[in-house]
Amino acid sequence: MLTYIIRRVLILIPMAFVICFLVYLGLELTPGDAVSHMINPDAAGSMNPAQLEALRQSLGLGQPFHVRFWSWFTNLVQGNFGYSMSGGVPISNIIATRLPATLELAAVALVFSTVIGSLLGVVSALKRGSKTDSALTVIGMLGVSIPEFFFGLVAISIFALNLGWFPVGGRSMPGYVTLWDRLPHMVMPAMVLSIMLTAGVMRYARSSMLDALSRDFIKTARSKGLPEWRVNLLHGFRVALTPVVVLIGFRLPVLIGGSVIIEQVFQWPGIGNEFISAVRSQDYPVVMTIALLSVMAVLVASLIVDILTAVIDPRVRLGE
Amino acid sequence: MTATQDIAISVRDLKTFFYTNNRCNKALNGVSFDIKKGKTLCIVGESGCGKSVTAASIMQLLPTLSRIEQGEIIYHADRGDIPLHALEKNGRHMRRIRGAEIAMIFQDPMTALNPVYSVGFQIKESLRYHMKMVGRAAHQKAISLLKEMGIALPEKRVNDFPHRYSGGMRQRAMIAMAMACSPKVLIADEPTTALDVTIQAQIFELMDKLKREHGTGIMLITHDMGVVAELADDVAVMYMGNIVEAGTVDEVLRQPTHPYTKALLASVPVLGKGRNQDIKAIRGSTPDPLNRPKGCQFADRCDFAVAQCQTMPEETRITPTHRVMCWRYKELVPNG
């Protein structure tokens, strides 16, 4: 098991390097360079080309691609992501303030959707054909197919504007900093983010559970005289879990990079919101860093999925 | 007739029906037989004749859309007779018997073991629930069971997962699991269909040994006549939900009376007779189970059918042990 994990982590290193390279290549291929972004077009027209060239040289832009990539990469490894073009703030600062907000939301949504989703899915599978199952199926389909911004707007309209239970948006009121104070702010975005995920997990857990329950070993387990709960949970659910874990694992990067819409709807100061403003102001270094972060999240998520599936399903442990 | 104390399970006039799309498939239409202690009863018949349904009925492991409609299954336990057909499907009483007193092994050992638990864990599950045996004692018992089933290095193999076992070894592990609580009856539903011939022989040898050493009554479902000749003490031939002929192995194989049994035996190729031997396939095919013939189920394919066959024949005893369901049995009894 340990060798398996070590091997998976070692495979990650060259993959991460290649991804960094591709991201930097993307940055290189965008039209213009740092100088053309730094100086506003009106001023650039009146500037001496020699001056522009001198500025380029002073910024190190005259050096060949691979040299620049290497210096960018070594900085990256040391945690220095460069500077934002609008405002010149170190990107690592931006990430440090924005990422916790996003992670907070993602963690709540992930835990909630995993627990509730698989629970409802299992109930649905065990009571197949019943009214509960039909109701859950309909709710699940609605949850999967209705876009989340719609749920967000509906939630704001009902719970914030009409009932006044929760604040409309934001992460915290000025001056209130404890987790308890932030909780009311978190409820709506976290729940809305959870809806789609929960529905997806539920649908998946249901079909996976039904598949597991129709297998021969369930009959074997029953023929041994085991009680139903043990047949369903230990023999059925344990086997049904693998595909569900894979699904949840691959939703992880979506939660980190892709809660853009939810963060926008609820004015949540996370990475997603930062991403939108960076794209709007053509702040390439920030956009690239966030892209890099999302891709890394995918890598880490797939590592976690691989390890978890190996824990759950002994057939996966090929490294032994 | 055998004395009652030698009988482990007696099945009387069992009817199990399947319901699909508001139609009823009479999968078992009045089946009676006894499983004797320390004897092997072979149930033979072609696919879909109700062999597996019989096994599932005894174990109360029928699928959701089917139920025992009529008849009785009596398990003659040491503590008294228990009517299995009247027990709640997955209730406490049925669960106490399943695995502990009546155990079952299945057709495909590749899928019958749970892939995510070690073989030892799955054996120990039975021990925990029926013998209240846990921890080191259960582990030792699991090892000795595997050893008895002829698995090499059982101390190491007990912790292995099923995917590291070969097909034959998995079936041995299945038998170890079934034998864990020394059941009175072992029901084997085509246990070697998925295995190759040499392994088949080994598995059957193992089952025969268990029968002799533990006095286990075995109900073996098969469609291999060679296996029947080799292992069976009693034989029941099934066709479309009825036992058309039953008796001791000598009676059924040496004096087959029902036209179906005769046809079945005539369709078995004999090794060494060469490729020109006269194998008679049974003409026609089995009728649609949802649209059965009124009388004898075999009449349409039978060479001896007469007008009388349009009504269901009675079960008739030729000898105290040999019974047959055919109108014309008198003319068809060999040597008599």
Side-chain angles (χ1 to χ4, degrees), chain A residues 128 215-231 233-240 242 311-318 320, chain B residues 56 59 61 90 94-96 98-100 102-104 106 108 111-117 121-123 125-126 128-130 161 163-164 174 177 189:
Chain A
R128 180 160 72 140
R215 306 270 283 279
D216 284 354
F217 54 76
I218 293 294
K219 213 162 133 194
T220 310
R222 264 201 196 107
S223 81
K224 284 195 285 187
L226 303 181
E228 279 301 285
W229 68 264
R230 198 176 167 99
V231 173
L233 294 183
L234 255 70
H235 287 268
F237 186 58
R238 172 79 191 271
V239 172
T242 317
V311 169
I312 295 170
D313 194 334
R315 286 169 296 180
V316 179
R317 285 172 225 159
L318 302 171
E320 281 175 22
Chain B
M59 292 296 281
L61 285 174
N90 292 322
M94 192 64 226
R95 289 207 316 264
R96 228 183 100 186
R98 259 187 219 155
I102 307 173
M104 188 163 175
F106 296 91
D108 190 353
T111 56
L113 289 166
N114 193 324
V116 303
Y117 294 110
F121 177 93
Q122 297 185 56
I123 296 175
E125 255 187 333
S126 289
R128 167 201 292 257
Y129 275 89
H130 296 301
F161 290 93
H163 68 277
R164 314 196 83 180
M174 273 299 291
M177 213 156 85
D189 189 353

Side-chain angles (χ1 to χ4, degrees), chain B residues 231-248:
Chain B
L231 283 182
D233 297 299
D234 296 300
V235 183
V237 181
M238 281 190 83
Y239 186 77
M240 295 302 288
N242 292 110
I243 291 183
V244 292
E245 182 166 5
T248 63

